[in-house]
Amino acid sequence: MHQSKWILLTIIIACQLIVVLDASIMVTAVPEIGRTLHMSTTSLTWVHNSYILAFGGFLLLGARAGDLWGRKRILSAGIGLFSLTSLLAGLAPTAEFLLVSRACQGLAAAMATPAALALLSANFVEAKERTRAIAMYSAVSAAGGSIGLILGGFFTDFITWRAGMFINVPIGMVLLYLVQRHIERTDTRTGRFDLMGAITSVTGMTSLVYGLVQAADSGWANPASWIPLASGLLLLGLFVLIEARAAEPIVPLRLFKSRQRSGAYLGRFLIVCGNFSLFFFVPQYLQNVLGYSSFEAGLAFLPFTGAQFGMMYLIQGLVHRFGMIKVMTAGLLLASLGTLWLSKIILAQEAFFPHMFILLSIMGVGSGMVFQPLTALGLADVEARDAGAASGLINVAHQSGSSFGLAALVTVFDAGVGSDQPSTLQLAHALSNSVLGSVAFILAALTVTLLCSLPSRQPARKQALTDS
């Protein structure tokens, strides 16, 4: 690979790392943030969700902006805004200020991320280079969550949780310099923004997640739960109708004509629903049941992260030998079996080593076998005019999956706790049930993968008609 392409890939991966890392860097810091800013347990979920919902909700609009105004320009604007809002989040004097800053961070990430992935898609066209670039990008996307847990725990225990936000500022400044120096200006074109599509997608997903969080807090029968849930479903239905009729939609529905590509988006959503929730519940077990510190709970994910990164060097050979579908199927089976066993370990309140250490390594291997093929399938055979939208959809599936999965499984956890001051046994039981919920999401992703790999019967039907 030419040196200029290595520099470009480094910029893209670094950009992806900081935005994915920021989705989880606050998780191990949540107890300390609650004490510092006097936030309740329910409001603390929005430290994560305010970032993720803005990120996932505006990704498609960010992808469209890159297509129209040039990807270099939007990438630079996104990185600059991300650095500024990270500084504001770190300085936050109140809970409200922090949540607004986190939402603005999500908006900035939504500008930068699809522009970066579209640049990867446009510049790495040779098969071997493209496979390697996607493997590295996917490894960072998948492992960024666990890296965030480690860094967040370290900063919380030894410095301050605010350092997790401040660190983005110098990194952002360096990235801005590298973008201006090493990325060529991309073409712009005329067109319109699908603002109604963007608004309905953001408000619909936010309403769904809000309803799930309220259900955990107030119960399913409470109007504060089911009204937002119903509104969210209606808004997302309206979003599909708008996209079908819009002259220049942020989600061209033609992207879903390919069954494998559609399966890649849905499969990614489901696997992240299960995977990211583990980043929230396993640290709760380690900290509240086993008595680990924030940093120790973050370090516990090193076997997961290490195994996931290790697969980056093996995935090309595996895909070349066995094909994407077989590799993904094996990875999802490993991930689901490891997660199922993990739920039993938590219920029995066993120590971290050796069982959890081994299981997290197995789950990391399984996860590392899934994300690279999903990214490749999500970009496969996409026309140049839809490259930004396709890359946006990949990241929408990733970010909305983390938000929706956590919100759904928090309701499972809350139902299992049963009281405001649960015993250690009650807490372990609730956490075990939540991890079982992660298994359900991963098995759903496996089902989608298998269904989308079935050969199409349409050609055979056409041939039969021709013969008759």
Side-chain angles (χ1 to χ4, degrees):
M1 192 182 296
H2 194 271
Q3 184 180 2
S4 61
K5 287 194 173 182
W6 273 116
I7 295 173
L8 174 62
L9 185 58
T10 300
I11 294 169
I12 292 169
I13 288 175
C15 178
Q16 180 68 4
L17 178 61
I18 62 170
V19 298
V20 172
L21 183 148
D22 264 48
S24 63
I25 199 167
M26 294 292 209
V27 171
T28 43
V30 156
E32 183 61 27
I33 294 171
R35 286 189 290 269
T36 303
L37 299 180
H38 311 292
M39 299 175 71
S40 67
T41 302
T42 302
S43 61
L44 280 169
T45 62
W46 291 101
V47 174
H48 164 74
N49 283 333
S50 59
Y51 175 77
I52 288 299
L53 288 170
F55 188 178
F58 287 107
L59 266 167
L60 298 172
L61 198 63
R64 179 68 175 154
D67 290 341
L68 294 181
W69 292 344
R71 288 160 191 159
K72 176 180 179 179
R73 181 180 297 173
I74 296 301
L75 178 62
S76 299
I79 293 171
L81 182 60
F82 191 84
S83 301
L84 175 61
T85 51
S86 295
L87 176 63
L88 294 176
L91 294 171
T94 65
E96 293 78 11
F97 194 98
L98 174 63
L99 297 183
V100 171
S101 298
R102 288 284 283 168
C104 292
Q105 265 190 303
L107 172 62
M111 296 168 64
T113 302
L117 184 53
L119 284 169
L120 183 151
S121 181
N123 286 276
F124 294 86
V125 291
E126 191 271 323
K128 188 174 181 181
E129 282 188 350
R130 187 181 181 87
T131 301
R132 182 183 301 175
I134 290 177
M136 295 175 70
Y137 179 91
S138 301
V140 166
S141 297
S146 48
I147 295 171
L149 291 177
I150 297 170
L151 285 177
F154 174 81
F155 289 137
T156 301
D157 279 356
F158 298 107
I159 308 174
T160 170
W161 64 265
R162 298 176 186 276
M165 296 291 95
F166 292 146
I167 195 173
N168 292 328
V169 180
I171 294 174
M173 294 301 100
V174 172
L175 280 175
L176 266 180
Y177 168 77
L178 292 175
V179 167
Q180 296 304 313
R181 176 162 184 155
H182 294 287
I183 295 182
E184 295 181 2
R185 185 179 296 275
T186 50
D187 294 335
T188 62
R189 57 189 175 91
T190 58
R192 292 180 294 177
F193 281 106
D194 178 18
L195 287 176
M196 286 305 299
I199 291 169
T200 50
S201 66
V202 173
T203 53
M205 197 64 197
T206 301
S207 187
L208 268 183
V209 171
Y210 180 78
L212 288 169
V213 172
Q214 286 299 110
D217 197 44
S218 307
W220 291 97
N222 194 310
S225 302
W226 63 261
I227 289 177
L229 287 170
S231 300
L233 291 173
L234 286 172
L235 285 165
L236 291 177
L238 179 60
F239 168 69
V240 175
L241 290 176
I242 290 171
E243 296 310 283
R245 298 179 179 182
E248 298 183 46
I250 54 174
V251 181
L253 297 185
R254 57 182 172 268
L255 286 172
F256 297 99
K257 286 183 178 179
S258 164
R259 187 171 62 180
Q260 283 198 341
R261 196 160 56 229
S262 299
Y265 301 141
L266 179 56
R268 193 181 197 95
F269 172 83
L270 291 168
I271 185 67
V272 176
C273 279
N275 251 15
F276 188 85
S277 300
L278 295 173
F279 296 156
F280 183 83
F281 292 114
V282 172
Q284 301 303 313
Y285 171 73
L286 295 172
Q287 290 177 272
N288 297 322
V289 177
L290 299 186
Y292 280 35
S293 68
S294 297
F295 184 46
E296 289 169 336
L299 283 177
F301 275 84
L302 274 177
F304 185 96
T305 307
Q308 206 167 41
F309 268 119
M311 288 307 301
M312 177 178 69
Y313 298 100
L314 302 176
I315 192 69
Q316 293 181 63
L318 291 173
V319 168
H320 179 73
R321 183 170 182 179
F322 299 106
M324 290 187 185
I325 301 299
K326 288 182 179 179
V327 171
M328 281 196 296
T329 300
L332 288 166
L333 282 171
L334 277 177
S336 58
L337 290 173
T339 308
L340 178 62
W341 191 2
L342 180 65
S343 72
K344 306 300 180 186
I345 296 296
I346 290 176
L347 185 61
Q349 300 181 50
E350 294 192 24
F352 173 77
F353 195 85
H355 295 99
M356 284 188 70
F357 181 92
I358 295 171
L359 288 177
L360 287 170
S361 299
I362 292 172
M363 291 156 63
V365 169
S367 181
M369 295 171 70
V370 172
F371 284 101
Q372 187 272 341
L374 284 176
T375 303
L377 287 173
L379 294 172
D381 301 322
V382 172
E383 298 177 32
R385 60 175 174 159
D386 293 331
S391 62
L393 270 175
I394 289 171
N395 284 287
V396 165
H398 203 103
Q399 302 309 322
S400 59
S402 67
S403 184
F404 182 86
L406 180 57
L409 294 181
V410 161
T411 65
V412 177
F413 172 78
D414 205 64
V417 169
S419 66
D420 292 333
Q421 294 183 325
S423 65
T424 302
L425 180 60
Q426 286 176 309
L427 191 58
H429 180 74
L431 290 167
S432 176
N433 287 344
S434 302
V435 173
L436 277 176
S438 292
V439 177
F441 278 121
I442 297 170
L443 288 175
L446 175 61
T447 302
V448 168
T449 298
L450 293 175
L451 288 175
C452 291
S453 67
L454 293 174
S456 175
R457 297 172 64 183
Q458 188 175 2
R461 195 174 295 138
K462 285 183 179 178
Q463 185 62 44
L465 290 172
T466 303
D467 293 342
S468 64

